Amino acid sequence: MIVDCAVYRHGHRTEGPEDLSDALDAARAAGGFVWIGLHEPSEREFELVTQEFGLHPLAVEDALKAHQRPKLEVYDDSLFMVLKPVVYEPESDTVSAGEVMVFVGDAFVVTVRHGEGAPLTAVRRRLEEEPEMLGKGPTSVLYAISDAVVDHYLDVATELQTDLEELEAEVFQPDGGGSRNTASRIYTFKRQVLEFRRATGPLVPPLTRLAGTGQFGSGVPFVDDKARPFFRDVNDHLARVNESVEGLDRLVSDILNAHLAQMSVRQNDDMRKISAWAAMAAIPTMIAGIYGMNFDHMPELHWLWSYPVVIVVMAVLEVLLYRQFKRRGWL
């Protein structure tokens, strides 16, 4: 469905024709542009937009089906960019990703949103409050969306860092190793980091290309060259996010290894204790087993004090074994 449609002239929103073709002609004649926002459109709903703006069929297919990696594609009549905004849900400590597709042409911007994580309404509102920025044309919209998505990445990275510190405290608490569900929580957290990485990692080449740095030194069609410093700033923020994600991934792997090592040490301690108690139980069992055999000729079998002596011998041996195992830390 079409969420919003507006014509912008000199950075200000104006009332334009309802027909998309007339709106585009009016925007071109006035030196402005049309910005159309759609949310999970159907193929039939998107067909009119495709025809009026001449969008490439491959890009249209990607926009309708979604489930795309962040990327930047240049076609004859438009520029197509995919971003994956992420949302952190504190109730469940999970990260979910949406998708934003942006078509940029000479006098139009078409944004397609999938999921609930795209901050397009706030971006449009903020841009409309900054006519000077919005007056730079469709490039300003592409920059504002990229900047909003990447800035939210920083917030999500901070939330994940807090969760990781809680996991770390749980694993290294004094009782050693946390609860039985600690390993499951660590693995779930690692899955969240992986989901986050799928959104941030592939976005580096598109932003690098828009910034005009590295091997992508040439300009990008439909993007003003004067906007390169702004995209470089967004790219720097993305680099910080990716460094945080790499650090989170390494730390959670180290925490998982530490937890497994602690569990192994705890199991070894338990086995030592079990072995020590089994050894202590073996001596009286052996003596009782010998004297429980039905033989007539056994040492001290008919002696009056044989029973208490055997009991005392068992007790002394048990005490000696207990002290020995206690000294070695087995009990």
PDB file of all heavy atoms in Angstrom, residues 264-282:
ATOM      1  N   SER A 264      33.315 -28.588  32.270  1.00  0.00           N
ATOM      2  CA  SER A 264      34.196 -29.751  32.253  1.00  0.00           C
ATOM      3  C   SER A 264      34.946 -29.896  33.575  1.00  0.00           C
ATOM      4  O   SER A 264      35.067 -31.001  34.117  1.00  0.00           O
ATOM      5  CB  SER A 264      35.189 -29.633  31.093  1.00  0.00           C
ATOM      6  OG  SER A 264      36.081 -30.723  31.064  1.00  0.00           O
ATOM      7  N   VAL A 265      35.442 -28.765  34.106  1.00  0.00           N
ATOM      8  CA  VAL A 265      36.136 -28.807  35.394  1.00  0.00           C
ATOM      9  C   VAL A 265      35.194 -29.259  36.502  1.00  0.00           C
ATOM     10  O   VAL A 265      35.553 -30.058  37.376  1.00  0.00           O
ATOM     11  CB  VAL A 265      36.738 -27.420  35.719  1.00  0.00           C
ATOM     12  CG1 VAL A 265      37.263 -27.385  37.144  1.00  0.00           C
ATOM     13  CG2 VAL A 265      37.855 -27.091  34.739  1.00  0.00           C
ATOM     14  N   ARG A 266      33.957 -28.746  36.466  1.00  0.00           N
ATOM     15  CA  ARG A 266      32.984 -29.136  37.484  1.00  0.00           C
ATOM     16  C   ARG A 266      32.673 -30.630  37.408  1.00  0.00           C
ATOM     17  O   ARG A 266      32.559 -31.310  38.434  1.00  0.00           O
ATOM     18  CB  ARG A 266      31.709 -28.327  37.307  1.00  0.00           C
ATOM     19  CG  ARG A 266      30.650 -28.616  38.360  1.00  0.00           C
ATOM     20  CD  ARG A 266      29.363 -27.880  38.084  1.00  0.00           C
ATOM     21  NE  ARG A 266      29.553 -26.434  38.116  1.00  0.00           N
ATOM     22  CZ  ARG A 266      28.560 -25.571  37.871  1.00  0.00           C
ATOM     23  NH1 ARG A 266      27.352 -26.022  37.581  1.00  0.00           N
ATOM     24  NH2 ARG A 266      28.791 -24.276  37.919  1.00  0.00           N
ATOM     25  N   GLN A 267      32.543 -31.149  36.182  1.00  0.00           N
ATOM     26  CA  GLN A 267      32.291 -32.577  36.024  1.00  0.00           C
ATOM     27  C   GLN A 267      33.470 -33.407  36.529  1.00  0.00           C
ATOM     28  O   GLN A 267      33.274 -34.465  37.143  1.00  0.00           O
ATOM     29  CB  GLN A 267      31.998 -32.894  34.559  1.00  0.00           C
ATOM     30  CG  GLN A 267      30.662 -32.352  34.070  1.00  0.00           C
ATOM     31  CD  GLN A 267      30.457 -32.576  32.591  1.00  0.00           C
ATOM     32  OE1 GLN A 267      31.349 -33.053  31.892  1.00  0.00           O
ATOM     33  NE2 GLN A 267      29.277 -32.223  32.095  1.00  0.00           N
ATOM     34  N   ASN A 268      34.689 -32.935  36.274  1.00  0.00           N
ATOM     35  CA  ASN A 268      35.873 -33.648  36.794  1.00  0.00           C
ATOM     36  C   ASN A 268      35.883 -33.645  38.320  1.00  0.00           C
ATOM     37  O   ASN A 268      36.228 -34.664  38.952  1.00  0.00           O
ATOM     38  CB  ASN A 268      37.146 -33.009  36.254  1.00  0.00           C
ATOM     39  CG  ASN A 268      37.336 -33.256  34.763  1.00  0.00           C
ATOM     40  OD1 ASN A 268      36.797 -34.219  34.214  1.00  0.00           O
ATOM     41  ND2 ASN A 268      38.097 -32.395  34.116  1.00  0.00           N
ATOM     42  N   ASP A 269      35.519 -32.519  38.916  1.00  0.00           N
ATOM     43  CA  ASP A 269      35.442 -32.468  40.378  1.00  0.00           C
ATOM     44  C   ASP A 269      34.396 -33.442  40.910  1.00  0.00           C
ATOM     45  O   ASP A 269      34.631 -34.138  41.906  1.00  0.00           O
ATOM     46  CB  ASP A 269      35.100 -31.042  40.833  1.00  0.00           C
ATOM     47  CG  ASP A 269      36.246 -30.071  40.604  1.00  0.00           C
ATOM     48  OD1 ASP A 269      37.395 -30.548  40.465  1.00  0.00           O
ATOM     49  OD2 ASP A 269      35.997 -28.846  40.557  1.00  0.00           O
ATOM     50  N   ASP A 270      33.259 -33.481  40.227  1.00  0.00           N
ATOM     51  CA  ASP A 270      32.215 -34.411  40.666  1.00  0.00           C
ATOM     52  C   ASP A 270      32.685 -35.862  40.542  1.00  0.00           C
ATOM     53  O   ASP A 270      32.402 -36.694  41.419  1.00  0.00           O
ATOM     54  CB  ASP A 270      30.945 -34.202  39.829  1.00  0.00           C
ATOM     55  CG  ASP A 270      30.299 -32.846  40.098  1.00  0.00           C
ATOM     56  OD1 ASP A 270      30.590 -32.263  41.156  1.00  0.00           O
ATOM     57  OD2 ASP A 270      29.507 -32.390  39.245  1.00  0.00           O
ATOM     58  N   MET A 271      33.383 -36.158  39.440  1.00  0.00           N
ATOM     59  CA  MET A 271      33.872 -37.524  39.257  1.00  0.00           C
ATOM     60  C   MET A 271      34.901 -37.889  40.324  1.00  0.00           C
ATOM     61  O   MET A 271      34.926 -39.030  40.812  1.00  0.00           O
ATOM     62  CB  MET A 271      34.478 -37.679  37.860  1.00  0.00           C
ATOM     63  CG  MET A 271      33.452 -37.689  36.730  1.00  0.00           C
ATOM     64  SD  MET A 271      32.246 -39.018  36.916  1.00  0.00           S
ATOM     65  CE  MET A 271      33.303 -40.451  36.856  1.00  0.00           C
ATOM     66  N   ARG A 272      35.757 -36.936  40.707  1.00  0.00           N
ATOM     67  CA  ARG A 272      36.725 -37.212  41.765  1.00  0.00           C
ATOM     68  C   ARG A 272      36.021 -37.498  43.090  1.00  0.00           C
ATOM     69  O   ARG A 272      36.398 -38.401  43.828  1.00  0.00           O
ATOM     70  CB  ARG A 272      37.691 -36.024  41.915  1.00  0.00           C
ATOM     71  CG  ARG A 272      38.769 -35.974  40.857  1.00  0.00           C
ATOM     72  CD  ARG A 272      39.943 -35.138  41.334  1.00  0.00           C
ATOM     73  NE  ARG A 272      39.539 -33.772  41.637  1.00  0.00           N
ATOM     74  CZ  ARG A 272      39.623 -32.762  40.763  1.00  0.00           C
ATOM     75  NH1 ARG A 272      40.074 -33.005  39.541  1.00  0.00           N
ATOM     76  NH2 ARG A 272      39.241 -31.544  41.101  1.00  0.00           N
ATOM     77  N   LYS A 273      34.991 -36.694  43.376  1.00  0.00           N
ATOM     78  CA  LYS A 273      34.255 -36.925  44.619  1.00  0.00           C
ATOM     79  C   LYS A 273      33.562 -38.283  44.613  1.00  0.00           C
ATOM     80  O   LYS A 273      33.571 -39.011  45.613  1.00  0.00           O
ATOM     81  CB  LYS A 273      33.233 -35.808  44.816  1.00  0.00           C
ATOM     82  CG  LYS A 273      33.863 -34.439  45.082  1.00  0.00           C
ATOM     83  CD  LYS A 273      32.793 -33.367  45.222  1.00  0.00           C
ATOM     84  CE  LYS A 273      33.436 -32.006  45.468  1.00  0.00           C
ATOM     85  NZ  LYS A 273      32.435 -30.923  45.598  1.00  0.00           N
ATOM     86  N   ILE A 274      32.946 -38.611  43.491  1.00  0.00           N
ATOM     87  CA  ILE A 274      32.268 -39.908  43.388  1.00  0.00           C
ATOM     88  C   ILE A 274      33.266 -41.052  43.538  1.00  0.00           C
ATOM     89  O   ILE A 274      33.021 -42.044  44.238  1.00  0.00           O
ATOM     90  CB  ILE A 274      31.512 -40.011  42.056  1.00  0.00           C
ATOM     91  CG1 ILE A 274      30.351 -38.997  42.022  1.00  0.00           C
ATOM     92  CG2 ILE A 274      30.989 -41.423  41.836  1.00  0.00           C
ATOM     93  CD1 ILE A 274      29.669 -38.905  40.676  1.00  0.00           C
ATOM     94  N   SER A 275      34.436 -40.892  42.892  1.00  0.00           N
ATOM     95  CA  SER A 275      35.464 -41.931  42.987  1.00  0.00           C
ATOM     96  C   SER A 275      35.980 -42.065  44.411  1.00  0.00           C
ATOM     97  O   SER A 275      36.239 -43.185  44.896  1.00  0.00           O
ATOM     98  CB  SER A 275      36.624 -41.607  42.037  1.00  0.00           C
ATOM     99  OG  SER A 275      36.177 -41.544  40.699  1.00  0.00           O
ATOM    100  N   ALA A 276      36.148 -40.943  45.112  1.00  0.00           N
ATOM    101  CA  ALA A 276      36.633 -40.983  46.488  1.00  0.00           C
ATOM    102  C   ALA A 276      35.630 -41.700  47.395  1.00  0.00           C
ATOM    103  O   ALA A 276      36.006 -42.565  48.208  1.00  0.00           O
ATOM    104  CB  ALA A 276      36.893 -39.569  46.993  1.00  0.00           C
ATOM    105  N   TRP A 277      34.347 -41.357  47.269  1.00  0.00           N
ATOM    106  CA  TRP A 277      33.344 -42.027  48.096  1.00  0.00           C
ATOM    107  C   TRP A 277      33.230 -43.515  47.746  1.00  0.00           C
ATOM    108  O   TRP A 277      33.006 -44.361  48.622  1.00  0.00           O
ATOM    109  CB  TRP A 277      31.980 -41.353  47.917  1.00  0.00           C
ATOM    110  CG  TRP A 277      31.878 -40.025  48.609  1.00  0.00           C
ATOM    111  CD1 TRP A 277      31.802 -38.798  48.038  1.00  0.00           C
ATOM    112  CD2 TRP A 277      31.849 -39.792  50.020  1.00  0.00           C
ATOM    113  NE1 TRP A 277      31.731 -37.813  48.981  1.00  0.00           N
ATOM    114  CE2 TRP A 277      31.753 -38.390  50.222  1.00  0.00           C
ATOM    115  CE3 TRP A 277      31.899 -40.630  51.142  1.00  0.00           C
ATOM    116  CZ2 TRP A 277      31.693 -37.816  51.478  1.00  0.00           C
ATOM    117  CZ3 TRP A 277      31.840 -40.062  52.402  1.00  0.00           C
ATOM    118  CH2 TRP A 277      31.746 -38.659  52.565  1.00  0.00           C
ATOM    119  N   ALA A 278      33.381 -43.834  46.458  1.00  0.00           N
ATOM    120  CA  ALA A 278      33.340 -45.240  46.053  1.00  0.00           C
ATOM    121  C   ALA A 278      34.511 -46.010  46.653  1.00  0.00           C
ATOM    122  O   ALA A 278      34.371 -47.168  47.087  1.00  0.00           O
ATOM    123  CB  ALA A 278      33.353 -45.344  44.526  1.00  0.00           C
ATOM    124  N   ALA A 279      35.704 -45.372  46.675  1.00  0.00           N
ATOM    125  CA  ALA A 279      36.875 -46.025  47.275  1.00  0.00           C
ATOM    126  C   ALA A 279      36.675 -46.227  48.775  1.00  0.00           C
ATOM    127  O   ALA A 279      37.063 -47.269  49.339  1.00  0.00           O
ATOM    128  CB  ALA A 279      38.122 -45.187  47.016  1.00  0.00           C
ATOM    129  N   MET A 280      36.076 -45.233  49.430  1.00  0.00           N
ATOM    130  CA  MET A 280      35.828 -45.373  50.858  1.00  0.00           C
ATOM    131  C   MET A 280      34.799 -46.474  51.153  1.00  0.00           C
ATOM    132  O   MET A 280      34.878 -47.164  52.164  1.00  0.00           O
ATOM    133  CB  MET A 280      35.340 -44.037  51.432  1.00  0.00           C
ATOM    134  CG  MET A 280      36.412 -42.946  51.422  1.00  0.00           C
ATOM    135  SD  MET A 280      35.767 -41.317  51.885  1.00  0.00           S
ATOM    136  CE  MET A 280      35.208 -41.662  53.558  1.00  0.00           C
ATOM    137  N   ALA A 281      33.851 -46.641  50.251  1.00  0.00           N
ATOM    138  CA  ALA A 281      32.842 -47.689  50.457  1.00  0.00           C
ATOM    139  C   ALA A 281      33.370 -49.066  50.107  1.00  0.00           C
ATOM    140  O   ALA A 281      32.824 -50.085  50.556  1.00  0.00           O
ATOM    141  CB  ALA A 281      31.600 -47.380  49.610  1.00  0.00           C
ATOM    142  N   ALA A 282      34.452 -49.121  49.315  1.00  0.00           N
ATOM    143  CA  ALA A 282      34.960 -50.418  48.874  1.00  0.00           C
ATOM    144  C   ALA A 282      35.591 -51.213  50.022  1.00  0.00           C
ATOM    145  O   ALA A 282      35.478 -52.455  50.069  1.00  0.00           O
ATOM    146  CB  ALA A 282      35.973 -50.221  47.759  1.00  0.00           C
TER     147      ALA A 282
END
